[in-house]
Amino acid sequence: MRIGTPEEDALRRDLTINALFYNLHTSQIEDFTKQGLPDLREGIARTPLPSEQTFIDDPLRILRVFRFVARYDLVIDKDIVDALAKKEIMEGL
């Protein structure tokens, strides 16, 4: 088994805003997706990888997306909406 890099870990997260890391050594927020901080500022729920791939890998991520959207009043990115319209994604739930 190989330990992944921080970037690989960030890209496997459900949302870009959930892929932000806090570096204890530098006291800085690290955004390996390059979209997490802008999405946090703009209130956007977006997946780090294409949404269809994200939801096929783990269909429960769909539920986490809706939990974040409801809790933090986020706008759902169009790529997520498009992925949810696909039959194979809904069958995964």
Side-chain angles (χ1 to χ4, degrees), residues 19-90:
L20 297 170
F21 298 116
Y22 182 74
N23 186 319
L24 295 173
H25 300 291
T26 64
S27 298
Q28 299 289 316
I29 295 173
E30 297 177 346
D31 183 4
F32 291 100
T33 70
K34 308 289 190 255
Q35 296 177 351
L37 288 172
D39 286 349
L40 185 61
R41 280 190 292 273
E42 297 170 23
I44 298 173
R46 182 190 330 264
T47 57
L49 295 173
S51 297
E52 186 173 353
Q53 177 185 344
T54 298
F55 299 146
I56 286 173
D57 290 347
D58 181 359
L60 291 179
R61 290 179 178 149
I62 296 167
L63 300 177
R64 289 193 292 270
V65 166
F66 285 110
R67 185 182 69 203
F68 271 86
V69 166
R71 179 173 285 172
Y72 300 108
D73 195 31
L74 303 174
V75 174
I76 300 174
D77 182 67
K78 183 180 181 320
D79 189 52
I80 291 175
V81 174
D82 292 345
L84 294 177
K86 299 192 181 225
K87 181 181 176 183
E88 57 268 51
I89 299 298
M90 296 313 294

